[in-house]
Amino acid sequence: MNRKLSPTLSYVFLKTIPVMVGYLFLGTAYGILMKINGFGLAWVLASSVFIYAGSLQYLEVTLLAGLVNPLYAFFMGLVLNARHLFYGISMLGKFQNIKKWKPYLIFALTDETFSVLCGEDMPKNSEKERIYLWVSLLDQIYWVVGTVFGCLIGGMITFNTQGLDFALTALFVVIFTDQWKNRKDHRPALTGVLISAACVALFGADSFIIPAMLLILLCLTWNYRHSGNADGEAKDR
C-alpha cells in the first residue's frame, strides 16, 4: 500500500467508526427487509450503490412492495431528501477547490458523512481532497456491506423489525454530542435544534420536516453570506 495512503486511511477509519457501526446495523436491517419482501441481492446492491440514501431506501421497501406510481415515488424521495439542500450550501467552502472527485463527494454526502466532514479538523500537511474522498467512500462501503449481508441472511432468519430505525436516531445523537464537545461555536447546532422544535410545535410531528428544513436553509444561507467564513460557519471564539 502506498505510504501516503496508509496513514490517511488509518486516520479516516478512526473518524468513521461510529458511522460504520450504525451503517452495518441499519444496512443489515434494510437488506433483511428487502429480502423478506421478495427483492433479491441484485435489487439491494443496485439500490445501495446508486441510490445510497438510508431513509429513502427504507421507504423504497414500502414503495416497491406496494407497486407505487413512479412519479409519486419520485416526489416522496424529493421531499424526504430535501434536507440535502442546506447540506450542500454548508459544504460550498470545503468543496470549492476540489476538482477530481467533486461529483462523487456530492453524491455521497449522506447525513452521517456530512456530520463527519463538518466536524473535521484537518491535521497539518494533510490533503483535504484525499480525506474527504476516503470518508465518503468508506461510509458507502460500510452501507453496501451491511445491506448485502442483510440480504444474504434475510432468507434464513425472521424477526420483528419494529424499532430498528431508532438506531439511525441514536447515531445522530452520538455525532451531535461529539461535535458539541469539540467545537466552541454552538450556534449552528442550536439553530437547528430550536427551529426544529418550534416547527414540531407549530406543524406537528408529521409535517414539521419541510418548514424546518426551509428555515434552517435560510438561516445557514444568511450566515454563509454574512460571516465571510469559507466553510459556511462562524469562526470559533
Side-chain angles (χ1 to χ4, degrees), residues 49-63:
V49 171
F50 296 109
I51 297 178
Y52 183 41
S55 54
L56 179 58
Q57 286 183 244
Y58 270 90
L59 177 63
E60 172 197 20
V61 179
T62 303
L63 297 177

Side-chain angles (χ1 to χ4, degrees), residues 55-56 59 63 71-86 206-214:
S55 54
L56 179 58
L59 177 63
L63 297 177
L71 185 60
Y72 175 78
F74 168 78
F75 282 109
M76 284 290 292
L78 184 63
V79 170
L80 187 61
N81 288 285
R83 63 190 183 279
H84 291 279
L85 290 172
F86 72 84
D206 295 330
S207 305
F208 82 99
I209 294 180
I210 298 302
M213 294 299 177
L214 290 175

Side-chain angles (χ1 to χ4, degrees), residues 101-228:
W101 301 106
K102 185 180 288 186
Y104 176 72
L105 294 177
I106 294 172
F107 163 76
L109 193 62
T110 62
D111 300 341
E112 295 75 20
T113 300
F114 169 78
S115 297
V116 173
L117 294 181
C118 277
E120 183 58 37
D121 293 320
M122 289 294 173
K124 293 181 179 180
N125 301 321
S126 66
E127 297 182 34
K128 291 197 301 183
E129 184 171 355
R130 190 183 298 274
I131 290 180
Y132 292 165
L133 172 64
W134 281 113
V135 169
S136 303
L137 185 59
L138 281 181
D139 285 352
Q140 185 170 16
I141 289 173
Y142 302 149
W143 179 255
V144 172
V145 169
T147 60
V148 169
F149 176 73
C151 182
L152 292 176
I153 67 173
M156 297 182 285
I157 61 174
T158 57
F159 60 90
N160 186 353
T161 59
Q162 185 176 4
L164 286 178
D165 289 352
F166 183 75
L168 188 61
T169 302
L171 180 60
F172 287 157
V173 172
V174 171
I175 294 174
F176 178 87
T177 303
D178 182 66
Q179 289 190 7
W180 183 276
K181 290 170 60 179
N182 293 327
R183 289 193 172 272
K184 297 179 181 179
D185 186 3
H186 300 315
R187 286 176 296 176
L190 289 174
T191 297
V193 170
L194 292 176
I195 289 177
S196 297
C199 287
V200 169
L202 289 173
F203 302 102
D206 295 330
S207 305
F208 82 99
I209 294 180
I210 298 302
M213 294 299 177
L214 290 175
L215 288 174
I216 293 172
L217 174 63
L218 289 175
C219 289
L220 290 176
T221 302
W222 183 89
N223 180 67
Y224 180 81
R225 289 182 176 179
H226 290 81
S227 66

